[in-house]
C-alpha cells in the first residue's frame, strides 16, 4: 500500500439542512495538509455536522467539499480516504483490540497477515503492545481511546478526524492525551480536523481554530490571533473571558482610535472601525488594580473577591458597569467596598464592532 | 460500471438468454424429457422464444437488457446511471405488462396484449428465467439510482430497498389488491359495483336476526361479539395475573412464566380439541357430570361458549405477557410519592396506578380482539352453528358453493375490522402510552395491592390456571388411550397409525402422518431463515438508512401484521392460481406465505435489537472503508444474535402451528401437519389428532432449544455482559397480533 500522505481539505459554500433546520449555513474554509485544525463552538453550532461532512457520514445539501483537491462532495464515507475517532470511541464490542485495529485493512481485503502487522504497528505506536487479545470492555477509558486512535490510523488516511475525543476522560488524563494526540499528529505529519467545545483544549493543540456559532463560522485563525484579536463579541467571550463594554469612538487617526470609556479616553488600534458606537473586549487579566489615588485610572469599588489558589477573582463596580478582574501574583484579599482604580495592561484590550 | 452491476447484468442475460423462462412441471435431474425442444418450446429461454416468434412480447424485455449492456462502453458515471435507470425502469414495466396482459386463454388484458403483439396468445406462469430477469432489472435500476448518489451511493442499500419493496408489493399488496378486484367483479369477469354492494350488505353478513327475530345474526356481528368478549376476558385475566404476581407475595411466578410459552408452541386448534374431549357430548367431564349428578349431556360446547372458552385459554397468556411488562414499567416511586402525599392504598391504586395501566390495558384488549378475529382453528373445530368470518371465508372457498367473490367480500369485511383495530392501536395508543421507566435506578418498593383487589384477582385466575392444566393433561394422555371419554385402555395405537416406521425393508416411514410431518419441518426450516433475513434487512434499512419513502415502507411492513391469515390465504389462491405467478399447489407458495406472514416479527425484533446498538459503530465501520454490506455482516449481525434467535424461533414455531393461511394453500403433495390434523378432527379421529399435536409440541420445544444453541451467545469479552434484550419469546408478545 502506498502512503497517500496528508491531504488538504476545502469547504466551498457548504450548507447542510435537515428539513427546515439549517445545521451548517454556507461555510467555507480550508485546512492545509499536515495541519491540525480545530472546529470549536458551543453545542449545536454545527461543528460536529461539519466534521461528519468531511467524513462523508453526512452528504452536504449544498456546496462543494474537496479533499486533496478532488471533489468528494457526493462520495460516501467508505469511498473517502478519511478516518474518524468517535466521541464514544465506537469500538466493536465483539472484537478484540487487535481485531478492532485490523478491521480497516481486513475489510479492504489486504489479507490476514498484512492486516495483523499493520494493526500491531499502530497499536505499538499508541503504546498498547500486549493488549491485543483483550476486549474493549476490559480496557480503561484511556486505553479504549488509544485503540480508537490506532484503529483510525491503521489505513494511514489522508485526513484524520476527531470528534470530541477527550470528553469521556477525566480532567488529568485529558491534558496528557491531548498532548499525545498533538505529538502523534506532528510526528506522523497528519492532516487532522478536531472537534471540541473546550476552548483551552483547542488553544493547546491547534495550528488553526475555526470558531463556529449558529451554523456559521464566527472567526478563523491561529490560537493566538483568536485570543488577542477576536473579530467579534462571540469569539471574545467564547475563547477566554472578556468584559464587553459598549463604547464610542470619538476620533480615528493613523489606525488608532480614541475611545471614550466612562470618564477616560483610551487610545486603541482602530482595526478598521470608524467614528461611532463600538465595543471593547477587555481580558480580565488585562485590568490592573491600583490604589484609588491613581487619577489616570478608572475609579471603582470592590464588590466581590474570591480566592482561587493561584489567582483572585474580583468583581469591580465602575461607571461603565461591573467588570471582572483576575489578579495573579498578589494574594492579598481585597475587602468588599474598598475603592480602587483600574488601569489597562498593554495587551488584551481590543476594539470590536458593535452588535 | 462497477463489478456488482456487471454481475447483475450477467444474471439478467442468464435468465433471459439461457434459463427456461416459464415455470416447469416435473423437473428432474435424472431424466431430461422436460428439456425437449430447448431452447424452444415449453422449457425455452426468453431470447429463443422471442426471436423465433413464439413469444414476440418477450422481445422488448430483451431490448432493455441490451440497453443496459450499452452502459459497459460508457465511461461517464452519470451517463451510465441514466442508462441503467432507464433500462431498469422500462424493462420492469414491460416485464409486468406482458406478464399481466397475456395469461391463460381468455384472461389477462386483451388490449395490452394486442399492443405487445400477443393478441389472443396465452402463456404459462413465470419460472426461473423470468425470476432472474426481473431481479436483474430491479438491481440495474437500483444501481442506477446509487450511481446518481441516492443513499450515499451505496449499491447494497439501494438494492436492498428495491428488493424489499418489490417483495412486499408482490406478496402482500398484489394479493390483497386481487381480493378487492375479485370482490368487485361478477362471475363473468365484468366490473359490477352493484354485485359488490349487494354481496357486501347481505343479511348473512350484517343481519340482526338474533335481536329482531329468532334467527341467526349476521356473521360480522358474530365475529365482532366473539372478538370483543375474547378481548375483554383475556385482558382481565392477564391483568389479574400480572397484578397478583408482581404485587403480592403469591408463589408460582415461574409456573406462570412457563404457562406463557405454552400457547406459543401449541397449534391453535388443539385447545379446542381438548375442550371437546372434556366437555363434548361424550367428554370426560360431561360423563362425570352425567353419571354422578345426572346433568344431561348437551352440545353447549359447540358454539359461542366453546369458541370463546378455547380462545380465552389460548390468548390470555399473551395478554398476560403484555400486561406484566406494563405493570413492571410503573415506577414504584410514583406510588410512593402518592402515599407520601397522604393517599390511602385504594386511592393510590385508583388515581395513580390505574391511569398508568390504562394504555397497556387497551393494548392487551386490542391484541385479544385481533387474535380472536384472525383465529381460524378453534371456530372450525368448535363453532357448530355459530359462524364467524374466518370459517365462513374458508367454506366459501372450499365448500360446495365455491364462491370466490363471496369469500373476497367476507375477507374485505374481516380485513376492515382488523385494520380498524390496528389503526386505533397506532393512532390512539401510539402517543398515549406513558413511559414511566427512566434510565435511572429506581429503588422504591411496589405498593402491595389493596386486599379486595387481590382476592378478586385470585378468584378470577384460579379456575383459568386449573383448566389450562387439565387441558394440557388431556393433550398429554389423550394420545395414549384408546378413546377419550369412552375407553381409557392405554394404547400406542394412535402413535403407531401416525408415526410407525417399518424396518423390515430398510428404513421406511409408513405412518400416515410422516408425509405432512416432513413437509412441515422442511417448509418451516426453509422459511425461518428467510424470514429472519428479510426481517432483519428491513429493520436495518428502516433504522439505519435515510431514504425517501422510509415511513411508507415501515407502515407497509407493520400493516401486514393486521392482515388475518385467512385473508392472506384467500388472497394467495386468488392471486397466484393463474399466470404470471402460478405457484399454488407447490411447496414454494407455503414458504412464501410463511415468510410474509412472519416477516413483521423479524422486523420488530430487528428494530428492537438495532436500537440497542450505537449508530456510531456503523459509522466507525464506514469510515474504515467498509461498505454497508460489510458493516452489516461484520459489525451489526454479530451484535444482533439475540434478535436473530427470536426471529428464527418465532418464524419456525409459527410455521409449524399456522393453520389459517395455509389451509387454503396445502395440496395433496404438500400437506402440512396442522392441515392434516384439522382433517383428522373433521373425520372424528381425535386420538390421532391429539397424538400428532403432542408430537408437534415436543418437536417445537426441541427446535427452539436447537436454534438457541446453534446461534449461540454474543461474544462481548470475557466479562460477560447481561444480554441486552430479553428472552427469545419476547417479541412474540408484540407479534402475536398477526
Amino acid at each position: 500500500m502506498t502512503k497517500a500522505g496528508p491531504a488538504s481539505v476545502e469547504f466551498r459554500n457548504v450548507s447542510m439542512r435537515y428539513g427546515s433546520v439549517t445545521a451548517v449555513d454556507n461555510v467555507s474554509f480550508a485546512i492545509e495538509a499536515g495541519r491540525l485544525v480545530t472546529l470549536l463552538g458551543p453545542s449545536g453550532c454545527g461543528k460536529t455536522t461539519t466534521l461528519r461532512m468531511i467524513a462523508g457520514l453526512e452528504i452536504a445539501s449544498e456546496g462543494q467539499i474537496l479533499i486533496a483537491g478532488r471533489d468528494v462532495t457526493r462520495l460516501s464515507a467508505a469511498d473517502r480516504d478519511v478516518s474518524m475517532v468517535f466521541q464514544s470511541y465506537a469500538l466493536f464490542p465483539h472484537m478484540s483490540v487487535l481485531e478492532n485495529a485490523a478491521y480497516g485493512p481486513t475489510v479492504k481485503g489486504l489479507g490476514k497477515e498484512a492486516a495483523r502487522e499493520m494493526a500491531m504497528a499502530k497499536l505499538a505506536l499508541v503504546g498498547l503492545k500486549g493488549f491485543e487479545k483483550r476486549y474493549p470492555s476490559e480496557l480503561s477509558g484511556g486505553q479504549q481511546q488509544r485503540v480508537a486512535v490506532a484503529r483510525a490510523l491503521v489505513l494511514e488516511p489522508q485526513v484524520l478526524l476527531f470528534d470530541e475525543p477527550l470528553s469521556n476522560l477525566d480532567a488529568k488524563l485529558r491534558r496528557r492525551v491531548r498532548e499525545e494526540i498533538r505529538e502523534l499528529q506532528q510526528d506522523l505529519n497528519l492532516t487532522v480536523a478536531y472537534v471540541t467545545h473546550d476552548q483551552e483544549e483547542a488553544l493547546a493543540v491547534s495550528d488553526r481554530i475555526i470558531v463556529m456559532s449558529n451554523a456559521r463560522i464566527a472567526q478563523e485563525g491561529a490560537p493566538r490571533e483568536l485570543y488577542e484579536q477576536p473579530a467579534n463579541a462571540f469569539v471574545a467571550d467564547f475563547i477566554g473571558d472578556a468584559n464587553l463594554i459598549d463604547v464610542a469612538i470619538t476620533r480615528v487617526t493613523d489606525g488608532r482610535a480614541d475611545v471614550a470609556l466612562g470618564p477616560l479616553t483610551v487610545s486603541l488600534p482602530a482595526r478598521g472601525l470608524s467614528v461611532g458606537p463600538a465595543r471593547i473586549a477587555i481580558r480580565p487579566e488585562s485590568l490592573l488594580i491600583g490604589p484609588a489615588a491613581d487619577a489616570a485610572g478608572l475609579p471603582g469599588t470592590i464588590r466581590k473577591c474570591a480566592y482561587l489558589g493561584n489567582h483572585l477573582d474580583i468583581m469591580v463596580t465602575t461607571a461603565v458597569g461591573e467588570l471582572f478582574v483576575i489578579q495573579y501574583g498578589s494574594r492579598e484579599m481585597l475587602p468588599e467596598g474598598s475603592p480602587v482604580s483600574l488601569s489597562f495592561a498593554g495587551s488584551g484590550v481590543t476594539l470590536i464592532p458593535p452588535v | 460500471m462497477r463489478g456488482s452491476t456487471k454481475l447483475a447484468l450477467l444474471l439478467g442475460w442468464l435468465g433471459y438468454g439461457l434459463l427456461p423462462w416459464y415455470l416447469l412441471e416435473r423437473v428432474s435431474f435424472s431424466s431430461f424429457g422436460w428439456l425437449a425442444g430447448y431452447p424452444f418450446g415449453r422449457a425455452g429461454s426468453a431470447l429463443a422464444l422471442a426471436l423465433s416468434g413464439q413469444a414476440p412480447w418477450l422481445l422488448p424485455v430483451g431490448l432493455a437488457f441490451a440497453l443496459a449492456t450499452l452502459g459497459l462502453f460508457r465511461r461517464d458515471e452519470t451517463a451510465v446511471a441514466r442508462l441503467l435507470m432507464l433500462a431498469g425502469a422500462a424493462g420492469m414495466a414491460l416485464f409486468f405488462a406482458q406478464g399481466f396482459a397475456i395469461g391463460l386463454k381468455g384472461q389477462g388484458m386483451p388490449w395490452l396484449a394486442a399492443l405487445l403483439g400477443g393478441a389472443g396468445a396465452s402463456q404459462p406462469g413465470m419460472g426461473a428465467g423470468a425470476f432472474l430477469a426481473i431481479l436483474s432489472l430491479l438491481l440495474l435500476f437500483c444501481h442506477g439510482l446509487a450511481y446518481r448518489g441516492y443513499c450515499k451511493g451505496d449499491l447494497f442499500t439501494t438494492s436492498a430497498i428495491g428488493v424489499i419493496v418489490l417483495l412486499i408489493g408482490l406478496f402482500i399488496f398484489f394479493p390483497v389488491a386481487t381480493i378487492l378486484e375479485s370482490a368487485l367483479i361478477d362471475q363473468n369477469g365484468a366490473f359490477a359495483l352493484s354485485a359488490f354492494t349487494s354481496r357486501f350488505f347481505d343479511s348473512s353478513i350484517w343481519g340482526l336476526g338474533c335481536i329482531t327475530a329468532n334467527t341467526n345474526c349476521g356473521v360480522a356481528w358474530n365475529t365482532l361479539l366473539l372478538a370483543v368478549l375474547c378481548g375483554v376476558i383475556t385482558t382481565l385475566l392477564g391483568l389479574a395475573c400480572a397484578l397478583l404476581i408482581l404485587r403480592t407475595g403469591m408463589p408460582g411466578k415461574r409456573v406462570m412464566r412457563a404457562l406463557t410459552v405454552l400457547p406459543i408452541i401449541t397449534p391453535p386448534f388443539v385447545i379446542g380439541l381438548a375442550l371437546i374431549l372434556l366437555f363434548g357430548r361424550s367428554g370426560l367431564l360431561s360423563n362425570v357430570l352425567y353419571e354422578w349428578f345426572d346433568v344431561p349431556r348437551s352440545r353447549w360446547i359447540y358454539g359461542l361458549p366453546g369458541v370463546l372458552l378455547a380462545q380465552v385459554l389460548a390468548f390470555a397468556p399473551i395478554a398476560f405477557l403484555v400486561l406484566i411488562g406494563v405493570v413492571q414499567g410503573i415506577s414504584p416511586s410514583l406510588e410512593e410519592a402518592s402515599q407520601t402525599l397522604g393517599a390511602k392504598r385504594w386511592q393510590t391504586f385508583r388515581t395513580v396506578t390505574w391511569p398508568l395501566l390504562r394504555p397497556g390495558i387497551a393494548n392487551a384488549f386490542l391484541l385479544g380482539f385481533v387474535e380472536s378475529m384472525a383465529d381460524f382453528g378453534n371456530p372450525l373445530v368448535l363453532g357448530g352453528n355459530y359462524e364467524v368470518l374466518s370459517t365462513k371465508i374458508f367454506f366459501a372457498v372450499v365448500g360446495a358453493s365455491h364462491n370466490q367473490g363471496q369469500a373476497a367480500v367476507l375477507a374485505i369485511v374481516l380485513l376492515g375490522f382488523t385494520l380498524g383495530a390496528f389503526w386505533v392501536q397506532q393512532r390512539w395508543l401510539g402517543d398515549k402510552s406513558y413511559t414511566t421507566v427512566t434510565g435511572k435506578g429506581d429503588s422504591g418498593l411496589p405498593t402491595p395491592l389493596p386486599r379486595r383487589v387481590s382476592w378478586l384477582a385470585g378468584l378470577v385466575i384460579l379456575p383459568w390456571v386449573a383448566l389450562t392444566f387439565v387441558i394440557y393433561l388431556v393433550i398429554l394422555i389423550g394420545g395414549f388411550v384408546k378413546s377419550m371419554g369412552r375407553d381409557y385402555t392405554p394404547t400406542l395405537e394412535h402413535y403407531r397409525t401416525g408415526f410407525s416406521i417399518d424396518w423390515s425393508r430398510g428404513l421406511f416411514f409408513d405412518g400416515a402422518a410422516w408425509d405432512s410431518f416432513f413437509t412441515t419441518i422442511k417448509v418451516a426450516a426453509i422459511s425461518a431463515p428467510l424470514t429472519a433475513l428479510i426481517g432483519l434487512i428491513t429493520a436495518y434499512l428502516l433504522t439505519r438508512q435515510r431514504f425517501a419513502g422510509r415511513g411508507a415502507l415501515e407502515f407497509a411492513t407493520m400493516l401486514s401484521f393486521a392482515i388475518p391469515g385467512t385473508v392472506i390465504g384467500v388472497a394467495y389462491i386468488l392471486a397466484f392460481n393463474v399466470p404470471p405467478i402460478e405457484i399454488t399447489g407447490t411447496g414454494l407458495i407455503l414458504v412464501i406465505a410463511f415468510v410474509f406472514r412472519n416477516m413483521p416479527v423479524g422486523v420488530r425484533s430487528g428494530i428492537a435489537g438495532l436500537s440497542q446498538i450505537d449508530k456510531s459503530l456503523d459509522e466507525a465501520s464506514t469510515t474504515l472503508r467498509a461498505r454497508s454490506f460489510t458493516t452489516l455482516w461484520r459489525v451489526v449481525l454479530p451484535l444482533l444474535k439475540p434478535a436473530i434467535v427470536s426471529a428464527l424461533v418465532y418464524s419456525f414455531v409459527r410455521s409449524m402451528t399456522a393453520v389459517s393461511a395455509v389451509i387454503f394453500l396445502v395440496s395433496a403433495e404438500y400437506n402440512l401437519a396442522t392441515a392434516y390434523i384439522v382433517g383428522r378432527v373433521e373425520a372424528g379421529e381425535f386420538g390421532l389428532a391429539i397424538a400428532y399435536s403432542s408430537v408437534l409440541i415436543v418437536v417445537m420445544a426441541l427446535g427452539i432449544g436447537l436454534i438457541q444453541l446453534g446461534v449461540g451467545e454474543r461474544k462481548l469479552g470475557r466479562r460477560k455482559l447481561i444480554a441486552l434484550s430479553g428472552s427469545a419469546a419476547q417479541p412474540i408478545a408484540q407479534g402475536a397480533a398477526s
Side-chain angles (χ1 to χ4, degrees), chain A residues 52 57 59 76-82 86 88 90-95 103 106-107 135 137-138 151 155, chain B residues 149 152 546 614 616-617 619-627 630-631 634-635 638-639 715-719:
Chain A
R52 291 167 61 84
L57 293 172
I59 298 294
S76 80
D79 296 316
R80 301 188 189 183
D81 194 6
V82 174
F86 288 79
S88 62
L91 298 178
F92 306 128
H94 59 300
M95 296 182 193
Y103 185 83
T106 311
V107 301
Y135 281 87
S137 60
E138 298 165 336
R151 184 178 70 180
L155 288 177
Chain B
K152 299 179 187 168
R546 264 181 269 151
D614 191 358
S616 65
L617 290 179
E619 291 174 347
S621 173
T622 312
T623 58
L624 294 165
R625 323 280 181 278
R627 309 214 160 265
T630 317
T631 304
R634 283 178 176 267
V635 177
L639 292 171
K715 201 171 63 172
L716 294 178
R718 267 166 271 157
R719 265 184 238 168

